[in-house]
Amino acid sequence: MDTAEVKQKAKEFGADLLGIASPERFASVKPQRSPLAVFPDMKSALVVGRRILRGAMRGVEEGTNFHSTYSTFGYRWLEDNFLARTTYDLTCWLETQGFEAVPLFGYCEDGMPTGVPVAPGKPEPNVIVDMDYAAHAAGLGEIGLGGFFLTPEYGTRQRFALILTDAKLDADPIRDKSICSDCGACVAACPLQAIDASHLETVGVPGHQIQVAHIDYEICNSCPNGAMKGPGRGTRPDRCAAACGRMCLTKLEGAGKCGNTFAQTFRKRTPWALDSLKRPVPVAGIEAGCDQKYAK
Ligand code: SF4
Ligand code: SF4
């Protein structure tokens, strides 16, 4: 079994993306977020991605259907059924080749329950790996100013799961920032001013770190502009189909930054926006996006 064979199998099982990280890339990650705390003998971390259909976001973009389109096909079913199946099939195949393989979902730690350490020196269960960090470590893309994971294939549109294995595979090169242009359109598109580009945070793999804006997820939690939460996934909402995420996708596609191209543009009409009390708000600034360069 070699790396090319693993990637081919992942594709056959339905993966749109597969990146591989070596254990050394997690050396500086605290145990509470590290895959090495889950599988200390891992030799490779495989980040499996499936695209979010652009059409699954259409109902949110039009403001007419949030749940039977995006919330199911773009979010919960995509993670719980389609991506889970791809991850499980690849994990089974790896174990058939004689290598232990640990499947992990890409949940965020915010609001997730924690237990007590089972022995001195061990982190509290459940260790939840930062999937954006893992995807960056696996060479799949970068984290944009607005906090979205961006790939050259789909921009903002993908979901990830993780497989830790004791098979030693070739790691993919880490990508430096090349997709996000710091255009600030995501900042301008947020009607609730939850993205603060005057306060930057440093994320990503050491040596390749990226600055991203501080995001007030407390505000996002009550955002009526397409942010969503799923059962069992903690308190941080999904923002891919929210006003900020859809604006980023519009900008990236317009700039030719997405390999998955379409005959027509994603944004066809003036975007809608609601304030925290679900009252329509003016969209002049949102529609224009923002050309100001935000990152220092
Ligand atoms: S909208 Fe612009 S600044 Fe925001 S994440 Fe996307 S490319 Fe980066
Ligand atoms: S989810 Fe809503 S509140 Fe949060 S940044 Fe996006 S548009 Fe703003």
Side-chain angles (χ1 to χ4, degrees):
M1 184 186 82
D2 62 16
T3 304
E5 198 179 356
V6 171
K7 291 197 170 187
Q8 178 58 33
K9 279 291 166 191
K11 196 183 271 185
E12 289 174 18
F13 293 136
D16 293 307
L17 300 165
L18 185 83
I20 300 173
S22 60
E24 297 74 36
R25 294 179 185 173
F26 297 92
S28 64
V29 176
K30 62 183 178 180
Q32 199 59 52
R33 309 302 308 277
S34 175
L36 290 162
V38 179
F39 191 10
D41 302 307
M42 83 161 190
K43 299 285 186 295
S44 307
L46 281 60
V47 179
V48 185
R50 287 198 69 149
R51 76 183 83 178
I52 299 170
L53 294 171
R54 197 174 83 162
M57 300 167 72
R58 176 57 52 200
V60 183
E61 171 68 4
E62 303 300 333
T64 51
N65 188 302
F66 290 62
H67 295 295
S68 61
T69 53
Y70 182 77
S71 178
T72 49
F73 285 96
Y75 187 16
R76 292 177 294 111
W77 287 3
L78 181 51
E79 286 189 342
D80 296 349
N81 298 339
F82 315 133
L83 178 59
R85 185 66 204 226
T86 297
T87 305
Y88 185 66
D89 286 348
L90 185 57
T91 309
C92 289
W93 183 81
L94 286 163
E95 295 218 340
T96 301
Q97 311 309 306
F99 298 100
E100 187 170 324
V102 181
L104 283 170
F105 257 15
Y107 294 158
C108 176
E109 67 172 346
D110 291 5
M112 295 294 270
T114 51
V116 295
V118 300
K122 284 187 180 284
E124 298 95 345
N126 289 316
V127 167
I128 296 176
V129 176
D130 180 337
M131 200 57 68
D132 286 349
Y133 182 98
H136 187 223
L140 288 174
E142 68 191 57
I143 303 161
L145 179 71
F148 315 106
F149 195 87
L150 308 176
T151 68
E153 291 85 3
Y154 305 108
T156 54
R157 295 189 295 111
Q158 55 269 309
R159 299 198 179 282
F160 295 123
L162 195 56
I163 299 174
L164 315 178
T165 178
D166 51 16
K168 185 156 179 49
L169 301 169
D170 299 333
D172 287 296
I174 298 172
R175 290 174 188 268
D176 289 314
K177 185 168 175 172
S178 63
I179 304 171
C180 173
S181 61
D182 295 327
C183 68
C186 51
V187 180
C190 175
L192 309 182
Q193 291 79 49
I195 305 177
D196 181 359
S198 66
H199 291 91
L200 298 175
E201 298 169 0
T202 302
V203 299
V205 181
H208 303 270
Q209 285 176 313
I210 301 165
Q211 290 197 305
V212 304
H214 173 77
I215 296 155
D216 188 335
Y217 287 104
E218 289 287 317
I219 297 175
C220 299
N221 260 323
S222 56
C223 174
N225 295 284
M228 293 187 196
K229 285 198 281 190
R233 289 167 171 80
T235 54
R236 183 178 293 193
D238 173 81
R239 297 185 302 132
C240 188
C244 52
R246 286 180 286 111
M247 176 55 93
C248 181
L249 180 64
T250 301
K251 285 286 177 180
L252 294 180
E253 289 194 357
K257 296 283 186 77
C258 300
N260 182 204
T261 57
F262 294 83
Q264 295 189 27
T265 58
F266 175 67
R267 180 142 291 165
K268 304 176 196 305
R269 281 163 276 281
T270 302
W272 57 275
L274 302 177
D275 68 12
S276 58
L277 297 176
K278 300 186 180 177
R279 298 172 301 200
V281 294
V283 294
I286 294 171
E287 191 177 12
C290 182
D291 293 321
Q292 182 180 344
K293 297 287 181 186
Y294 274 87
K296 303 283 185 287

